[in-house]
Amino acid sequence: MQISWRTQFWEPVLVLVWRELRIRYKRTVLGFFWSLVPPIAQAFIWLIVVEKFFRYDIPNYSAYLLCSAFTWQFIQNALLDGCSVMLFHMPLIKAFPMRREILPIASVASNLVHFLLALLVLFVYLQVLQVPIRPQWLLLPLVLAGLIALVLGFVLALSCLTVFYIDLKFVLDSFVLRLLFFACPVFYFVEMVPSHWYHAYMLNPFAVYLTALRQILLPPVQLPDGRPALPFDWLHFGIALAISVLTLLVGWTIFRRYQNQLAEWL
Protein backbone atom coordinates (compact mmCIF):
# COMPACT_ATOMS: atom_id res chain seq x y z
CA MET A 1 0.00 0.00 0.00
CA GLN A 2 1.46 3.32 -1.08
CA ILE A 3 1.54 6.06 1.56
CA SER A 4 0.41 9.48 0.35
CA TRP A 5 2.71 12.51 0.48
CA ARG A 6 0.31 14.14 2.93
CA THR A 7 0.47 11.21 5.36
CA GLN A 8 4.21 10.74 4.93
CA PHE A 9 5.24 14.38 5.20
CA TRP A 10 2.75 17.11 6.05
CA GLU A 11 0.80 15.38 8.79
CA PRO A 12 3.96 14.56 10.82
CA VAL A 13 5.14 18.17 10.39
CA LEU A 14 1.83 19.51 11.73
CA VAL A 15 1.88 17.03 14.63
CA LEU A 16 5.42 18.06 15.60
CA VAL A 17 4.62 21.78 15.33
CA TRP A 18 1.53 21.38 17.51
CA ARG A 19 3.50 19.29 20.02
CA GLU A 20 6.25 21.91 20.20
CA LEU A 21 3.79 24.75 20.75
CA ARG A 22 1.82 22.80 23.37
CA ILE A 23 4.92 21.82 25.35
CA ARG A 24 6.39 25.33 25.21
CA TYR A 25 3.31 26.98 26.71
CA LYS A 26 2.00 24.20 28.92
CA ARG A 27 0.78 25.50 32.30
CA THR A 28 1.47 29.12 31.40
CA VAL A 29 -1.11 31.85 31.96
CA LEU A 30 -0.13 34.15 29.09
CA GLY A 31 0.74 31.39 26.62
CA PHE A 32 1.97 32.76 23.29
CA PHE A 33 2.41 36.27 24.69
CA TRP A 34 5.45 35.09 26.67
CA SER A 35 7.30 34.85 23.35
CA LEU A 36 6.64 38.56 22.80
CA VAL A 37 8.24 39.62 26.07
CA PRO A 38 11.94 39.40 24.99
CA PRO A 39 11.64 41.38 21.72
CA ILE A 40 9.30 43.97 23.24
CA ALA A 41 11.62 44.45 26.23
CA GLN A 42 14.61 44.70 23.89
CA ALA A 43 12.85 47.22 21.66
CA PHE A 44 11.86 49.26 24.73
CA ILE A 45 15.48 49.45 25.89
CA TRP A 46 16.65 50.50 22.42
CA LEU A 47 13.91 53.14 22.36
CA ILE A 48 15.05 54.64 25.67
CA VAL A 49 18.72 54.62 24.67
CA VAL A 50 18.14 56.22 21.26
CA GLU A 51 15.54 58.80 22.32
CA LYS A 52 16.98 59.77 25.70
CA PHE A 53 20.74 59.45 25.20
CA PHE A 54 21.20 60.11 21.48
CA ARG A 55 18.28 62.56 21.32
CA TYR A 56 16.88 61.09 18.12
CA ASP A 57 13.29 62.13 17.48
CA ILE A 58 12.01 59.68 14.86
CA PRO A 59 8.22 59.45 14.36
CA ASN A 60 6.83 56.02 15.31
CA TYR A 61 10.35 54.81 16.13
CA SER A 62 8.93 52.15 18.47
CA ALA A 63 7.11 50.54 15.53
CA TYR A 64 10.35 50.33 13.52
CA LEU A 65 12.08 48.70 16.48
CA LEU A 66 9.29 46.17 17.05
CA CYS A 67 9.29 45.20 13.37
CA SER A 68 13.04 44.55 13.49
CA ALA A 69 12.97 42.88 16.91
CA PHE A 70 10.21 40.42 15.94
CA THR A 71 12.02 39.54 12.70
CA TRP A 72 15.38 39.11 14.41
CA GLN A 73 13.79 36.89 17.08
CA PHE A 74 12.47 34.60 14.35
CA ILE A 75 15.87 34.40 12.64
CA GLN A 76 17.77 33.79 15.87
CA ASN A 77 15.37 31.26 17.42
CA ALA A 78 14.85 29.35 14.18
CA LEU A 79 18.61 28.95 13.65
CA LEU A 80 19.34 27.98 17.26
CA ASP A 81 16.41 25.56 17.58
CA GLY A 82 17.08 24.05 14.17
CA CYS A 83 20.75 23.58 14.96
CA SER A 84 19.91 21.22 17.86
CA VAL A 85 16.74 19.63 16.53
CA MET A 86 18.30 16.29 15.51
CA LEU A 87 20.07 15.93 18.85
CA PHE A 88 16.89 16.83 20.72
CA HIS A 89 14.83 14.23 18.83
CA MET A 90 17.46 11.49 19.04
CA PRO A 91 15.08 8.91 20.64
CA LEU A 92 12.49 9.57 17.94
CA ILE A 93 15.01 9.10 15.13
CA LYS A 94 16.25 5.81 16.55
CA ALA A 95 12.83 4.42 17.38
CA PHE A 96 10.79 5.21 14.27
CA PRO A 97 11.48 5.06 10.52
CA MET A 98 10.59 8.50 9.18
CA ARG A 99 11.59 11.18 6.73
CA ARG A 100 14.19 12.94 8.83
CA GLU A 101 13.93 16.28 7.05
CA ILE A 102 10.55 16.56 8.77
CA LEU A 103 12.31 17.51 12.01
CA PRO A 104 14.18 20.65 10.84
CA ILE A 105 11.18 21.73 8.75
CA ALA A 106 8.87 21.39 11.77
CA SER A 107 11.37 23.31 13.90
CA VAL A 108 11.36 26.26 11.47
CA ALA A 109 7.57 26.03 11.11
CA SER A 110 6.97 26.27 14.87
CA ASN A 111 9.10 29.44 15.04
CA LEU A 112 7.29 30.76 11.97
CA VAL A 113 3.97 30.43 13.82
CA HIS A 114 5.37 32.66 16.58
CA PHE A 115 6.63 35.16 14.00
CA LEU A 116 3.30 35.38 12.18
CA LEU A 117 1.44 35.90 15.45
CA ALA A 118 3.98 38.58 16.40
CA LEU A 119 3.31 40.30 13.06
CA LEU A 120 -0.41 40.32 13.91
CA VAL A 121 0.44 42.09 17.16
CA LEU A 122 2.57 44.54 15.16
CA PHE A 123 -0.33 45.22 12.78
CA VAL A 124 -2.60 46.00 15.73
CA TYR A 125 0.06 48.32 17.16
CA LEU A 126 0.36 50.10 13.81
CA GLN A 127 -3.37 50.75 13.86
CA VAL A 128 -3.05 52.17 17.38
CA LEU A 129 -0.38 54.53 16.05
CA GLN A 130 -2.68 55.30 13.09
CA VAL A 131 -0.10 54.14 10.56
CA PRO A 132 -2.04 53.78 7.28
CA ILE A 133 -2.29 50.51 5.38
CA ARG A 134 -0.01 50.74 2.36
CA PRO A 135 -0.15 48.95 -1.05
CA GLN A 136 3.39 47.71 -0.36
CA TRP A 137 1.91 45.28 2.19
CA LEU A 138 1.08 43.05 -0.78
CA LEU A 139 4.81 42.28 -1.04
CA LEU A 140 4.83 40.74 2.44
CA PRO A 141 4.27 37.10 1.29
CA LEU A 142 7.19 37.36 -1.17
CA VAL A 143 9.55 38.80 1.46
CA LEU A 144 8.51 36.16 4.00
CA ALA A 145 8.96 33.38 1.44
CA GLY A 146 12.52 34.50 0.74
CA LEU A 147 13.36 34.80 4.44
CA ILE A 148 11.87 31.37 5.23
CA ALA A 149 13.77 29.72 2.37
CA LEU A 150 17.02 31.29 3.60
CA VAL A 151 16.50 30.22 7.22
CA LEU A 152 15.35 26.72 6.24
CA GLY A 153 18.41 26.21 4.03
CA PHE A 154 20.74 27.03 6.92
CA VAL A 155 18.71 24.91 9.36
CA LEU A 156 18.78 21.85 7.08
CA ALA A 157 22.56 22.04 6.85
CA LEU A 158 23.20 22.94 10.49
CA SER A 159 20.80 20.37 11.95
CA CYS A 160 22.69 17.60 10.17
CA LEU A 161 26.25 18.88 10.56
CA THR A 162 25.80 19.63 14.27
CA VAL A 163 25.38 15.91 14.89
CA PHE A 164 28.95 15.37 13.64
CA TYR A 165 30.40 18.64 14.93
CA ILE A 166 28.63 19.70 18.13
CA ASP A 167 30.90 22.75 18.35
CA LEU A 168 28.82 24.33 15.58
CA LYS A 169 26.02 24.98 18.06
CA PHE A 170 28.31 26.93 20.37
CA VAL A 171 29.97 28.82 17.52
CA LEU A 172 26.55 29.83 16.19
CA ASP A 173 25.26 31.00 19.56
CA SER A 174 28.33 32.72 20.95
CA PHE A 175 29.88 34.20 17.80
CA VAL A 176 27.99 34.00 14.49
CA LEU A 177 24.62 35.31 15.66
CA ARG A 178 26.21 38.09 17.70
CA LEU A 179 28.20 39.20 14.68
CA LEU A 180 25.17 38.89 12.41
CA PHE A 181 23.10 41.02 14.81
CA PHE A 182 25.37 44.02 14.23
CA ALA A 183 25.63 43.25 10.51
CA CYS A 184 21.86 43.67 10.15
CA PRO A 185 19.71 46.81 10.59
CA VAL A 186 17.99 45.61 13.74
CA PHE A 187 18.33 48.63 16.03
CA TYR A 188 19.54 51.07 13.35
CA PHE A 189 18.47 51.95 9.82
CA VAL A 190 20.11 50.95 6.57
CA GLU A 191 20.12 54.66 5.66
CA MET A 192 22.82 55.08 8.33
CA VAL A 193 25.23 52.77 6.46
CA PRO A 194 27.94 54.80 4.63
CA SER A 195 27.24 54.97 0.91
CA HIS A 196 30.58 53.40 -0.04
CA TRP A 197 29.71 50.35 2.09
CA TYR A 198 26.07 50.05 1.00
CA HIS A 199 26.39 47.53 -1.86
CA ALA A 200 28.68 45.23 0.11
CA TYR A 201 26.41 45.56 3.15
CA MET A 202 23.31 44.58 1.16
CA LEU A 203 24.93 41.37 -0.03
CA ASN A 204 23.90 40.07 3.39
CA PRO A 205 20.43 38.61 2.62
CA PHE A 206 19.32 38.85 6.25
CA ALA A 207 19.95 42.61 6.13
CA VAL A 208 17.97 42.83 2.89
CA TYR A 209 14.93 41.05 4.35
CA LEU A 210 14.98 43.07 7.57
CA THR A 211 15.14 46.27 5.52
CA ALA A 212 12.44 45.07 3.11
CA LEU A 213 10.01 44.23 5.91
CA ARG A 214 10.49 47.66 7.46
CA GLN A 215 10.08 49.42 4.10
CA ILE A 216 6.85 47.66 3.11
CA LEU A 217 5.14 47.72 6.51
CA LEU A 218 6.07 51.23 7.68
CA PRO A 219 6.25 54.70 6.13
CA PRO A 220 9.65 55.99 4.93
CA VAL A 221 11.88 56.78 7.88
CA GLN A 222 12.68 60.42 8.66
CA LEU A 223 16.20 60.58 10.08
CA PRO A 224 17.08 63.57 12.30
CA ASP A 225 20.09 64.53 10.17
CA GLY A 226 17.91 64.97 7.10
CA ARG A 227 19.17 62.00 5.09
CA PRO A 228 16.41 60.80 2.73
CA ALA A 229 14.76 57.42 3.12
CA LEU A 230 15.90 54.78 0.66
CA PRO A 231 13.34 53.25 -1.71
CA PHE A 232 12.70 49.52 -1.93
CA ASP A 233 15.89 48.04 -3.38
CA TRP A 234 14.70 45.61 -6.05
CA LEU A 235 18.24 44.82 -7.24
CA HIS A 236 19.53 43.60 -3.89
CA PHE A 237 16.18 42.01 -3.06
CA GLY A 238 16.45 39.92 -6.24
CA ILE A 239 20.01 38.94 -5.27
CA ALA A 240 18.77 37.99 -1.79
CA LEU A 241 16.05 35.79 -3.30
CA ALA A 242 18.64 34.04 -5.47
CA ILE A 243 20.90 33.50 -2.43
CA SER A 244 17.92 32.10 -0.50
CA VAL A 245 17.06 29.58 -3.21
CA LEU A 246 20.73 28.57 -3.52
CA THR A 247 21.04 28.23 0.28
CA LEU A 248 17.92 26.06 0.40
CA LEU A 249 19.22 23.79 -2.38
CA VAL A 250 22.66 23.48 -0.77
CA GLY A 251 21.17 22.85 2.67
CA TRP A 252 18.82 20.21 1.29
CA THR A 253 21.70 18.52 -0.58
CA ILE A 254 23.87 18.42 2.56
CA PHE A 255 21.02 16.98 4.60
CA ARG A 256 20.16 14.31 2.04
CA ARG A 257 23.81 13.33 1.76
CA TYR A 258 24.40 12.79 5.48
CA GLN A 259 20.98 11.91 6.88
CA ASN A 260 21.56 8.15 6.66
CA GLN A 261 24.60 8.46 8.92
CA LEU A 262 22.76 10.27 11.67
CA ALA A 263 21.60 7.19 13.57
CA GLU A 264 25.18 5.92 13.81
CA TRP A 265 26.40 9.15 15.38
CA LEU A 266 23.44 9.94 17.64
Side-chain angles (χ1 to χ4, degrees), residues 1-16 97-99 102:
M1 181 178 178
Q2 188 175 5
I3 302 176
S4 67
W5 177 257
R6 175 183 173 184
T7 303
Q8 188 180 27
F9 190 84
W10 289 114
E11 288 184 0
V13 168
L14 294 176
V15 169
L16 286 172
M98 59 183 296
R99 296 181 66 95
I102 288 173

Side-chain angles (χ1 to χ4, degrees), residues 18-36:
W18 173 247
R19 175 178 176 271
E20 168 65 23
L21 296 176
R22 187 178 59 182
I23 291 176
R24 181 173 299 189
Y25 300 119
K26 186 178 181 180
R27 298 177 183 173
T28 62
V29 177
L30 296 179
F32 150 73
F33 289 98
W34 278 116
S35 66
L36 298 180

Side-chain angles (χ1 to χ4, degrees), residues 9-235:
F9 190 84
W10 289 114
E11 288 184 0
V13 168
L14 294 176
V15 169
L16 286 172
V17 170
W18 173 247
R19 175 178 176 271
E20 168 65 23
L21 296 176
R22 187 178 59 182
I23 291 176
R24 181 173 299 189
Y25 300 119
K26 186 178 181 180
R27 298 177 183 173
T28 62
V29 177
L30 296 179
F32 150 73
F33 289 98
W34 278 116
S35 66
L36 298 180
V37 172
I40 290 177
Q42 196 172 38
F44 181 70
I45 293 173
W46 294 336
L47 182 64
I48 292 176
V49 170
V50 170
E51 289 191 345
K52 302 301 181 183
F53 293 92
F54 291 94
R55 304 294 182 182
Y56 277 6
D57 184 17
I58 301 175
N60 298 327
Y61 185 50
S62 58
Y64 293 104
L65 289 178
L66 280 180
C67 180
S68 299
F70 287 151
T71 307
W72 176 253
Q73 180 182 240
F74 165 66
I75 294 171
Q76 177 178 261
N77 290 351
L79 291 176
L80 286 175
D81 291 348
C83 190
S84 305
V85 67
M86 306 306 289
L87 296 172
F88 180 78
H89 290 288
M90 175 180 60
L92 186 64
I93 295 173
K94 290 186 175 181
F96 300 99
M98 59 183 296
R99 296 181 66 95
R100 290 166 181 166
E101 61 265 38
I102 288 173
L103 296 173
I105 291 174
S107 177
V108 173
S110 64
N111 282 287
L112 178 61
V113 170
H114 292 291
F115 182 41
L116 294 177
L117 292 174
L119 287 181
L120 288 178
V121 173
L122 177 63
F123 291 150
V124 173
Y125 185 59
L126 293 180
Q127 298 310 303
V128 172
L129 296 177
Q130 298 183 342
V131 175
I133 297 176
R134 310 169 67 229
Q136 290 88 336
W137 285 23
L138 295 175
L139 292 174
L140 182 60
L142 180 61
V143 177
L144 290 180
L147 178 59
I148 293 166
L150 180 65
V151 170
L152 182 57
F154 278 114
V155 167
L156 283 168
L158 289 171
S159 64
C160 185
L161 295 176
T162 303
V163 174
F164 308 115
Y165 310 102
I166 298 181
D167 291 349
L168 283 175
K169 179 174 63 174
F170 304 108
V171 171
L172 178 68
D173 188 16
S174 61
F175 176 71
V176 175
L177 284 175
R178 297 182 187 220
L179 184 63
L180 186 62
F181 175 80
F182 291 102
C184 293
V186 182
F187 65 94
Y188 60 89
F189 297 100
V190 71
E191 284 83 356
M192 297 177 176
V193 177
S195 58
H196 58 279
W197 283 104
Y198 176 78
H199 293 291
Y201 178 88
M202 292 297 280
L203 291 178
N204 173 8
F206 289 109
V208 173
Y209 291 127
L210 277 159
T211 301
L213 282 170
R214 188 258 292 172
Q215 289 176 332
I216 66 176
L217 294 178
L218 293 158
V221 64
Q222 301 175 22
L223 293 179
D225 58 6
R227 274 177 289 182
L230 294 176
F232 193 91
D233 192 336
W234 284 103
L235 172 62

Side-chain angles (χ1 to χ4, degrees), residues 100-101 104 156 159-160 251-259:
R100 290 166 181 166
E101 61 265 38
L156 283 168
S159 64
C160 185
W252 190 276
T253 301
I254 292 174
F255 190 92
R256 298 289 290 179
R257 175 178 174 82
Y258 292 105
Q259 65 169 338

